[in-house]
Amino acid sequence: MSQSKKAYFIQGIESFVSGILTVLLPLLMLERGIDIIYIGLIYSALPIIFQITRLAFAILSDFIGRKIFFILSGILRAFYNLIYYFAFSPLEFLFGKITEGISSASLWAVNRAFILEQSKEKWKSLIQMRVFDYISQALGTLIAGFLIVFLFSSNVLLFCVIISLLSIYPALKI
């Protein structure tokens, strides 16, 4: 598998899991008795954490390399799904969202730069990555409903942990 395909695969898993969580997480929080006001506050943490850490990770990756951030993303993705699995309070869900933001930031800090470094057709490769990202997220969102029905809410998170772990091996090979 080429280096670019490994990056697409890692990006696809991140987007697929993100699509599943788009549907699953608010329902899970409501199921576990989290008030709607707290849900909004919990969700507001992710973009703040994402932007702050993404910038720091992008700068660091120029000095220490991109591989560690691909690996970190996969490990944290599995970890935040486990946090959500065991979360029952707003603070626990907030910790999950913070971890999710750091995980996403570690991937988005390096994915485009890595694709540009690996590809001769730079614009085409970036467009392919974004298309793959959108399709993977849409599939995750679509499949989430079926998974919730067949596996129940918390078991879907365990499915996401397993899927997330699949991205670590290609990250190690980058």
Side-chain angles (χ1 to χ4, degrees):
M1 182 184 302
S2 74
Q3 297 289 49
S4 294
K5 287 182 182 176
K6 289 174 189 167
Y8 292 156
F9 181 77
I10 294 165
Q11 182 67 46
I13 287 178
E14 195 270 340
S15 299
F16 182 74
V17 170
S18 177
I20 290 173
L21 291 179
T22 298
V23 175
L24 175 66
L25 206 53
L27 296 174
L28 184 66
M29 284 193 245
L30 287 173
E31 179 182 301
R32 294 187 178 173
I34 307 297
D35 189 66
I36 192 80
I37 293 169
Y38 289 119
I39 293 173
L41 290 172
I42 291 165
Y43 268 87
S44 69
L46 187 135
I48 295 166
I49 296 299
F50 176 84
Q51 290 302 332
I52 292 169
T53 55
R54 180 181 175 195
L55 179 61
F57 290 160
I59 292 168
L60 277 173
S61 75
D62 289 339
F63 294 104
I64 64 173
R66 311 216 189 279
K67 179 179 184 173
I68 189 71
F69 295 99
F70 282 110
I71 296 168
L72 179 66
S73 174
I75 292 169
L76 289 178
R77 190 175 317 105
F79 184 59
Y80 72 70
N81 279 291
L82 283 173
I83 292 171
Y84 292 145
Y85 182 81
F86 292 108
F88 282 90
S89 73
L91 199 55
E92 292 166 331
F93 279 105
L94 176 62
F95 183 62
K97 272 295 171 196
I98 290 169
T99 308
E100 184 180 349
I102 295 169
S103 173
S104 292
S106 68
L107 180 61
W108 281 100
V110 298
N111 62 358
R112 287 189 307 255
F114 183 79
I115 293 293
L116 289 172
E117 291 166 353
Q118 299 299 316
S119 176
K120 292 177 184 162
E121 297 176 310
K122 298 187 183 316
W123 282 105
K124 183 179 177 185
S125 296
L126 287 176
I127 291 168
Q128 287 173 337
M129 185 191 73
R130 291 303 293 186
V131 168
F132 197 70
D133 174 58
Y134 290 136
I135 290 171
S136 298
Q137 188 162 11
L139 284 172
T141 304
L142 177 67
I143 290 171
F146 296 108
L147 291 173
I148 291 169
V149 169
F150 291 113
L151 298 178
F152 304 109
S153 298
S154 15
N155 292 336
V156 175
L157 290 169
L158 294 177
F159 171 78
C160 288
V161 168
I162 293 167
I163 294 296
S164 297
L165 291 173
L166 293 176
S167 71
I168 296 173
Y169 181 74
L172 290 169
K173 296 294 183 180
I174 286 180

